[in-house]
Amino acid sequence: MQQREEKQLEASVESLVTRVAHLKGSLQSFIYKLENEYERLTWPSVLDNFALLSGQLNTINKLLRNEKTPSYRSQVIIPLLLSPDRDEELAKLTEQRVPVFSHEIVPDHLRTKPDPEVEEQEKHLSAEAARIGPEVAQKQIQTLNKLCSNLLEKLNNPRDDRDSETSALRQNKPSSNPADTNALVAAVGFGKGLSKCRPPGPVAPGHPGQPMMSTGPTLHQVTVAGSSSHQAGMGGQVAQQQPGQPGKMPSNIKTNIKSASASMHPYNR
């Protein structure tokens, strides 16, 4: 009976060590990716690594809760040999984390209770919890539950909240500036704020600020290019610009231009 229990314990320990080794390898691989391949690491890949680690932890928990697994709580580990010298086999098994098995290391590695500092912190927290009344504790619990519920709602519906906030900002934010609109209307309607500089181009003598108009021969050339049937009639009627009236077009030139435009219209052909 005892031998069967010992064999069952050894088998369960070997299975547990194997599962822990797989979990350790997954952790090392994930940490390596985070430290060296973070530029190429994508969020779906991170989620896959977390899912793998979570599955391995669940497998270890199922193994520990299995009915065939002996209770490790009832097992006692007793150090049979303590030595201050380096143990190569122990260093190899622990991957160089525990090179010696001495009186200083055994209390830390074989401890079944928390550290003294942790025990003091637990006592302090327990004393603070005892001082809080049931009503105050219930109010704090309700407040914490409310905060958690609001956080879960925001996490579950981030797109709807973001769209509603965006639409609200669009509705409240003005699309125009009244000052710029008034300045533009004043500039177009009354010339307010426009520069009073002289326009470029030749200026007629005696009338600064007025550009020189085209003379008769230029109009004659335009008319010839537009209609060849009126070359003779318009050639003798084009006159030079009258002296003393710069910028004013003679009436006979206006009449010839109108008649030429009418003859070139597609409906008059």
Side-chain angles (χ1 to χ4, degrees):
M1 182 70 178
Q2 186 177 359
Q3 293 180 353
R4 189 179 68 178
E5 292 180 354
E6 291 180 355
K7 290 181 179 180
Q8 189 176 2
L9 178 62
E10 291 179 359
S12 63
V13 170
E14 291 179 359
S15 177
L16 182 61
V17 169
T18 303
R19 302 289 184 181
V20 172
H22 292 165
L23 177 61
K24 179 183 175 183
S26 300
L27 282 172
Q28 290 177 346
S29 177
F30 186 42
I31 292 173
Y32 178 83
K33 291 179 180 179
L34 291 176
E35 293 179 350
N36 301 290
E37 300 179 1
Y38 57 90
E39 295 180 354
R40 296 177 294 174
L41 197 63
T42 60
W43 181 243
S45 177
V46 174
L47 293 179
D48 292 341
N49 283 275
F50 275 120
L52 177 61
L53 295 175
S54 177
Q56 291 175 344
L57 288 173
N58 290 330
T59 303
I60 293 175
N61 289 330
K62 290 180 180 179
L63 180 63
L64 294 175
R65 294 173 183 174
N66 193 0
E67 296 179 355
K68 296 181 180 181
T69 302
S71 177
Y72 295 105
R73 294 180 180 273
S74 60
Q75 305 297 326
V76 179
I77 299 177
I78 300 174
L80 300 178
L81 179 63
L82 300 178
S83 173
D85 300 332
R86 180 181 177 86
D87 190 348
E88 296 295 337
E89 186 66 22
L90 180 63
K92 182 180 179 180
L93 292 174
T94 58
E95 296 183 354
Q96 307 299 324
R97 289 193 300 270
V98 184
V100 294
F101 203 63
S102 61
H103 295 77
E104 297 179 358
I105 295 177
V106 167
D108 293 333
H109 288 273
L110 300 183
R111 181 185 298 275
T112 57
K113 296 176 62 177
D115 294 336
E117 296 179 357
V118 177
E119 288 184 349
E120 291 295 330
Q121 291 179 0
E122 287 185 353
K123 290 180 181 179
H124 181 67
L125 293 175
S126 300
E128 288 184 355
R131 286 197 299 266
I132 298 177
E135 296 180 357
V136 178
Q138 189 65 27
K139 289 181 179 180
Q140 292 181 357
I141 292 172
Q142 292 177 358
T143 304
L144 180 61
N145 291 334
K146 185 177 180 180
L147 292 174
C148 293
S149 300
N150 294 334
L151 182 59
L152 288 175
E153 290 179 359
K154 291 183 178 181
L155 292 175
N156 292 330
N157 301 319
R159 182 175 298 177
D160 297 340
D161 296 341
R162 185 168 59 251
D163 293 342
S164 61
E165 292 177 359
T166 305
S167 60
L169 290 176
R170 289 178 179 175
Q171 293 177 0
N172 298 330
K173 186 177 180 180
S175 60
S176 61
N177 191 350
D180 294 342
T181 304
N182 296 332
L184 181 60
V185 172
V188 174
F190 307 103
K192 183 178 179 181
L194 297 179
S195 177
K196 296 182 180 180
C197 61
R198 181 177 299 176
V203 180
H207 296 273
Q210 296 182 356
M212 185 179 295
M213 298 294 294
S214 301
T215 57
T218 306
L219 294 175
H220 176 66
Q221 294 173 4
V222 174
T223 307
V224 170
S227 175
S228 59
S229 61
H230 294 271
Q231 289 180 358
M234 294 183 63
Q237 294 178 1
V238 176
Q240 296 291 334
Q241 196 174 25
Q242 297 180 5
Q245 296 181 354
K248 185 176 181 183
M249 185 181 296
S251 60
N252 56 353
I253 297 178
K254 295 180 180 179
T255 305
N256 293 333
I257 293 175
K258 291 180 179 179
S259 61
S261 300
S263 64
M264 292 174 64
H265 199 276
Y267 293 100
N268 295 332
R269 293 182 179 179

